[in-house]
Each structure stands twice: as structure tokens, then as C-alpha cells.
Amino acid sequence: MSAAVEPCLRLSGLRRLSGEVTVNGAKNAALPCMAAALLSDEPSRIRRVPEIEDVQRLIDILRAVGARAEFADGEVVVTPGGECGGTPPDELAAALRASFLVMGPLLARSGRASCGAPGGDVIGARPIDVHIAGFRALGATVETVGGRTIAEAPRGLSGATIVLDYPSVLGTENLLLAAVLAEGRTRIVNAAMEPEITCLAEMLVRMGAKITGAGQHTITIDGVSRLSGADHELIPDRIETGTLLIAAAATRGDVCLRGVRPDHNEALLAKLAEIGVEIRREQDQLDVCVDHMAELQATNLQALPYPGFATDLQAPITALLTQVEGTSIVHERVFENRMQHLDELRKFGANIIAGGAAPVIIGPTPLSAALVRGTDIRATAALIVAALAAEGESRVYGINHLARGYADLPGQLRALGADIEQLPTVDTLNS
Ligand code: UD1
């Protein structure tokens, strides 16, 4: 049996993916909805929660600020009680970006919130100025002391018109979470429009909040004085959906994805159609089938805020574009440092000309097995896509990143016929 010094995936490529899998609930909807539960004294139940490390980390954070939180059988139950408050330990805050989402609810509920610098993937500067400007517009004083952000509004928050400098996803969510208990009307202008924001707003409305316009550029919130608990099911993960579609296309597969929302993946579906990947869509199902003789064509794309092409699928589709005929340009316009997968893709033999945030991919190039390392969640997924399309046995390191965002991508791929396994580490073998 082979082993590795640190956890890694072993993959043998050039196997056509085929079969059916069901997609998990959305990571990026689970996190804000769990934070929303802090807004009430009553318990909230969130269903279809993916088993990923970021969920576990946020549970630890919710507990650290005084809530009870349990995760079993795909459901998270959060019971905040009356005494929630305090600061999450800095190392927990630094473990994920969404840790900062406790700020909005705690500020709204208790008039005070503080949190250390949020962590997450290292894909750019990732400032929090949009959140801070919004809290100030709602009447809070905000200062940074020793790396922690402290927001205070002892007399409560007051509704305001907040114009976001950038349609930040977590920024919009944090301000929505703060505004639902503010006095009067709040308008969030230039809001992010991602489906995860609509999912959060739906949970808040179930809790008794008054919100219109979620999923559009301007969200209007009429503050209420208290919220109840809610029972809420998450939307399917559109990034997991996209990754599986891209993996299927890269292996010229025949795959059916169940439990999906095709309308949340319009930009990807349009690009795949342009490349020549045929996809049949039903209300909650996508069937992708690529003939092994089909000639796939190059395309250009820009990663943008929703409904544009998702930045979280930029790295995975780059791996696919190494397998299509012609020259593609992929322009990353959301994060300034999200190209760390390119050097790793070149180790498989990919022909990619560096172009800053807009590399040029020349295809098709036959890929051959490589030993590579993912540096963030989606970069690691991209390397898995490349390994599936490469001849021979690859090893993909950095799978701790993968576990943060995908419930079981290797297991789903195995169910579709991929030859993929996590290698035991030398330590595990010796113990
Ligand atoms: C969320 C997603 C992440 C996705 C990203 C963009 C979660 C948990 N994560 O991250 O998977 O890749 O949306 O779709 O939902 N910005 C500012 N000021 C701010 C905040 C952000 O300038 O206060 C800039 C960032 O530097 C970046 C851009 O806005 O260039 C996008 O960031 P943002 O939308 O905030 O991403 P996240 O919410 O962190």
C-alpha cells in the first residue's frame, strides 16, 4: 500500500465519469444562516447543511459567543439563549472568513460586538471596509484595537441608506443581519445579488424580519423589535454543482446531478454550452454528456459578482480549458491574487501564458500525471479536475483546503467511477 507524509489524494486519470450524484447544501448559505440564528432567543434549525470544516469552525465560534450549537444528520440546531455576546477567540476568527458574520447579529441584539481579523483563503487582500462603513451608517461607532474590530451602539441601531462601495457578499450579509433589528427602514444599495443572500433573507423572513429585494441591487429592510427561531432548508451548493459539471466535461463524462438549481448556474451553463458541452436541464437536475469524439472549443470569460461567472469556478474551469481546442482567456475580476493554481496546472503539462489576472490558456494539451499542491479550496478542486484529465497517477496535496468547502468531492467522484483515494499518512501507518 502506498502512503504519504501528509494527507493527499491519489488519482488515476483518463477515466470517463459516469453515473448520478446528489449535490450537498451550499457552504456559503450555511454560514450566514447559522449566524442569523443568533438574532433570536429561540432555537433555529438549519437543514441540508454540508459536512465541511468551515461549518464546524463556525459552530465553535457560535459556542464561544454563548450559543448552544449542534450538528447531526445534516442539520444544525442553534439555541442562542438570552446571554449571547463576547468576542470569539482570535484563532477561531482567523480560521475562516465568515467568522466576521457574528458581528451583525451581536451588534443588533446587544449593542456591542467584537471580532478578530477574519481569515479564509489567501486569494487577495480581503478588506472589511464595506462591513465597517455599513455598521457606522446604522449608527454604530467602530474602532480597531489590537487587530480586533469593536462595534458599539448602546442605544441600538437606526435604519439608514447604505451605499456599498463594492457588492461584497459577506458585507451585504452582515449588514442585512444587523439591519433586521434596527429601528426604521434600511436600504442596502449596490448589494451583492448571490443566491446565498436570497437564502439568508428567506430564513430571516421566516424568523419574522421584513425584507424585500434580496437577490436584487437594492435590499429594503424594515426593522422589527424581535425575531423568533426558524426552520430553514439551504439551497444546493452551486459551486459544488459547477465543479462536478466541469469535472464531467473534462473527462468527457455522462453524469446526472440531482438536487440542483440550474438557474443558479446560468453563467457557467452558458459558457459550457459555448465550449460545446451539452447539458440537459430540468427543474432540479442537470445531465451532462460529452461524446469522447466531440471537439470542444475555446472561450473567453470574466469572473464577476453574481450573476456573472463565479470567481469560485474560475480555477476549475481553467483546468477544463486546457482540454479544449484553441486559445482561451480567463479574466479574474473579483480577487486580485487568485491565480496560484496556474503553476501547478503547468506541472501537468498545461500550456498557460501568464497574463496577471488574465492568463491565456492554449489547448488542447495532453496532460500527464503530476505531484501538485492546492493553496485554497477552489485551487485544490481545479487540480483534481486536471488530475482526472491526466494520464497516469497524480498526487494532490493541500486537501485540508478542500475539506473546508466540499463535503465529499473525492467520494462523489469515486461514485462516478473515478479512481481516487486519500492515501494514509506515514504516521497513520506506524501508529
Ligand atoms: C464570498 C464567498 C467566497 C466567494 C466570494 C466572491 C462566503 C463565505 N465566501 O466571500 O466563496 O469567492 O464571496 O463571490 O460566502 N471587498 C472589499 N471590501 C470589503 C469586502 C470585500 O473591497 O469590505 C472586495 C474584496 O477585496 C474582493 C471583493 O470585494 O475583491 C469580493 O469580496 P466579497 O464579495 O466580500 O467576498 P467574500 O464575501 O469574502
Side-chain angles (χ1 to χ4, degrees):
M1 181 199 284
S2 52
V5 286
E6 65 172 285
C8 79
L9 292 171
R10 183 199 61 75
L11 277 98
S12 285
L14 294 189
R15 288 187 174 217
R16 185 175 199 228
L17 294 184
S18 123
E20 284 182 18
V21 283
T22 300
V23 165
N24 292 285
K27 159 186 176 279
N28 288 350
L31 304 173
C33 288
M34 289 163 64
L38 288 176
L39 285 162
S40 169
D41 287 344
E42 298 172 9
S44 287
R45 179 184 302 273
I46 301 155
R47 289 178 285 116
R48 202 177 179 183
V49 179
E51 271 194 46
I52 52 172
E53 281 192 12
D54 274 11
V55 163
Q56 200 50 56
R57 292 174 186 183
L58 190 58
I59 284 177
D60 293 341
I61 288 171
L62 296 180
R63 288 177 181 158
V65 297
R68 270 197 285 139
E70 304 298 336
F71 186 15
D73 302 327
E75 294 188 358
V76 170
V77 177
V78 183
T79 312
E83 298 300 318
C84 276
T87 309
D90 288 346
E91 59 278 14
L92 277 181
L96 80 164
R97 184 81 184 154
S99 57
F100 208 64
L101 286 177
V102 299
M103 290 291 290
L106 293 183
L107 179 62
R109 250 188 80 154
S110 64
R112 188 178 194 283
S114 64
C115 185
D121 285 335
V122 184
I123 51 181
R126 308 194 81 174
I128 46 173
D129 55 307
V130 166
H131 308 235
I132 290 174
F135 293 146
R136 286 192 175 129
L138 293 172
T141 57
V142 186
E143 51 175 359
T144 307
V145 180
R148 282 191 190 152
T149 304
I150 302 168
E152 287 179 317
R155 287 197 211 97
L157 298 170
S158 312
T161 293
I162 310 169
V163 184
L164 306 192
D165 281 346
Y166 186 95
S168 158
V169 175
L170 288 174
T172 302
E173 290 167 354
N174 230 344
L175 298 176
L176 192 51
L177 289 163
V180 283
L181 288 179
E183 171 97 35
R185 173 166 288 193
T186 297
R187 289 169 66 241
I188 305 177
V189 179
N190 194 26
M193 305 200 298
E194 273 68 1
E196 292 75 18
I197 290 179
T198 310
C199 184
L200 167 64
E202 281 169 6
M203 167 152 172
L204 290 167
V205 167
R206 286 209 168 94
M207 295 171 78
K210 297 205 169 114
I211 301 168
T212 54
Q216 299 168 29
H217 281 302
T218 300
I219 305 177
T220 304
I221 305 122
D222 285 307
V224 295
S225 55
R226 74 172 287 282
L227 293 169
S228 57
D231 186 321
H232 183 61
E233 181 169 312
L234 300 176
I235 54 173
D237 196 307
R238 64 195 165 94
I239 307 301
E240 182 183 301
T241 304
T243 306
L244 288 165
L245 289 176
I246 288 167
T251 65
R252 312 233 158 197
D254 181 2
V255 167
C256 167
L257 300 183
R258 292 196 187 278
V260 298
R261 283 282 303 262
D263 56 320
H264 291 172
N265 277 101
E266 296 292 2
L268 172 68
L269 294 177
K271 276 297 152 194
L272 289 176
E274 223 177 284
I275 291 170
V277 175
E278 265 186 50
I279 296 181
R280 224 184 42 185
R281 55 196 278 177
E282 287 173 29
Q283 201 186 348
D284 62 351
Q285 186 174 315
L286 285 165
D287 295 287
V288 52
C289 184
V290 185
D291 187 90
H292 77 285
M293 294 298 287
E295 191 166 284
L296 303 182
Q297 295 298 330
T299 188
N300 297 331
L301 65 91
Q302 304 189 37
L304 288 166
Y306 189 86
F309 190 93
T311 169
D312 285 348
L313 290 172
Q314 176 262 111
I317 204 166
T318 299
L320 168 63
L321 292 175
T322 67
Q323 299 306 294
V324 307
E325 179 74 39
T327 300
S328 302
I329 301 176
V330 171
H331 190 174
E332 170 61 54
R333 294 186 56 194
V334 178
F335 290 108
E336 67 276 15
N337 187 21
R338 204 168 205 184
M339 289 293 161
Q340 295 164 63
H341 50 287
L342 297 185
D343 279 342
E344 300 303 288
L345 288 177
R346 289 192 190 98
K347 292 181 184 166
F348 291 99
N351 187 0
I352 301 176
I353 300 169
V360 177
I361 303 121
I362 300 160
T365 345
L367 302 183
S368 48
L371 192 157
V372 289
R373 178 175 295 279
T375 48
D376 63 65
I377 303 174
R378 312 305 172 183
T380 311
L383 301 180
I384 291 174
V385 171
L388 290 170
E391 178 164 14
E393 192 174 287
S394 295
R395 287 190 183 201
V396 178
Y397 287 87
I399 58 172
N400 54 319
H401 299 294
L402 198 71
R404 286 193 39 222
Y406 290 91
D408 186 19
L409 187 62
Q412 288 172 317
L413 294 171
R414 204 175 305 115
L416 295 173
D419 181 4
I420 176 171
E421 63 169 347
Q422 182 165 337
L423 292 183
T425 58
V426 176
D427 278 355
T428 320
L429 285 180
N430 292 339
S431 62

